[in-house]
Each structure stands twice: as C-alpha cells, then as structure tokens.
Amino acid sequence: EVSYVEGLARDKGTTPEVMAQSFSQISEMAKEAGLEYNFETLKNGNTLDAHRVFQYANEQDKGVEFYERLYYAIFTEGELISDHKTITRLAGEVGLDTEEVTAILADEGRNKDAVNEDVTNAVQVGAQGVPFFVFNNKYSLSGAQPKEVFGQALTQIYNDTLEE
C-alpha cells in the first residue's frame, strides 16, 4: 500500500522527500497553533461520504463540531476517513443521530448534490486545493500560511471595507 506522502507526491509530480519536508513545515506551524499533525499515520481515503454527513451536521448546527472532530481524527489520530463505522462513530461523538448518519451513508445519492454545489462554489472562488480560505465572499488565501500572512490579509480586508 502506498503511503499518503508517497501518493500525494505522485499526484503533485514531486518526490516523497519534498512532500515530507512540506508536511514537516506544516506540522511545525500546526504545533505553534496548538495542534498536533501526524502525517506519518495519515491514511488515504475518499472524503465524499464524510462530506455528505457534514451536510447533515450543518443542518443540525453541528457542522463546526463535526468538522473539527473529523480533522482531529484524520490528522492526529490517523483514522481512515472513508470508513463508514469511523464516520458514524465520530458523528455520534459530536451529538449527531447515528441512525440518521447510517441512513445517509447507505444512500449514495443523499446530500451528494449539496457536496457538488460546495465544490462548484469553491472552484468559482478560485480554490485549487486545500486549505483554501475565503473572507467576505471576496478575498481568499490559498495554502497553509503563517499567521502573519493572515494578519496582513485581515488588516487589508478591514481597510478595504472601510473605504467602501
């Protein structure tokens, strides 16, 4: 089985060594923010089903909690995000109805249109990868950026808003 680093390096047309160095930098930035990223345990997995459940989580006003739990499970705990049992367990941990989650996962078409709409919206605002941040539906930042870059961007957005 190909590791996440090897697979992403292949997809990006680079070497595993370059990708590992990039992940090391991202891990250091995460650590500064109080997060723990373990790229060595990261597993390849399709995220479509997790996104379909995320749509449900949003409807239940638990989107943020579900999103945060998913990312902790993926990047810190090394969980396989495409596994239905994992998705259901994580959803239950944030207070979502696990029977409803099971029903969503059993119906491949459920919430798929909403996920596709999110993808279309992301492409329209210029997203080409993750992470990608959009502010006020007008400004964006791509990639893992240092906090200083976010500070500069937010200051610029604030100043532009004052001028409008």
Side-chain angles (χ1 to χ4, degrees):
E1 182 177 311
V2 174
S3 74
Y4 184 80
V5 171
E6 293 167 332
L8 190 58
R10 181 192 60 229
D11 292 348
K12 298 289 184 185
T14 188
T15 67
E17 294 77 21
V18 169
M19 195 57 56
Q21 178 61 35
S22 177
F23 283 164
S24 177
Q25 292 171 344
I26 293 169
S27 292
E28 284 303 311
M29 290 170 53
K31 186 181 282 185
E32 288 178 21
L35 302 171
E36 179 184 352
Y37 280 9
N38 297 315
F39 286 105
E40 64 276 359
T41 62
L42 198 60
K43 295 179 175 70
N44 288 316
N46 188 307
T47 63
L48 176 60
D49 289 336
H51 279 97
R52 292 190 309 109
V53 173
F54 177 72
Q55 297 296 327
Y56 166 66
N58 275 335
E59 293 168 5
Q60 302 302 308
D61 294 325
K62 294 200 176 282
V64 171
E65 293 94 334
F66 185 63
Y67 175 86
E68 288 177 352
R69 184 62 187 102
L70 279 175
Y71 271 74
Y72 188 80
I74 296 166
F75 290 105
T76 303
E77 299 172 334
E79 297 273 7
L80 180 60
I81 195 55
S82 58
D83 180 67
H84 285 191
K85 289 180 184 175
T86 299
I87 296 169
T88 303
R89 178 178 48 81
L90 297 173
E93 288 178 17
V94 300
L96 292 170
D97 180 338
T98 56
E99 288 183 17
E100 186 65 19
V101 170
T102 299
I104 291 167
L105 293 171
D107 179 355
E108 291 182 9
R110 186 143 169 219
N111 293 347
K112 195 172 182 180
D113 288 344
V115 172
N116 289 335
E117 185 177 325
D118 283 350
V119 170
T120 299
N121 290 339
V123 169
Q124 287 175 345
V125 297
Q128 296 178 351
V130 292
F132 189 83
F133 306 91
V134 177
F135 306 93
N136 290 352
N137 292 320
K138 183 177 178 182
Y139 305 92
S140 64
L141 279 176
S142 182
Q145 300 289 337
K147 60 185 173 187
E148 294 80 15
V149 172
F150 278 96
Q152 292 167 355
L154 292 171
T155 299
Q156 182 63 49
I157 293 165
Y158 176 77
N159 290 336
D160 289 353
T161 302
L162 288 177
E163 293 174 6
E164 290 178 355

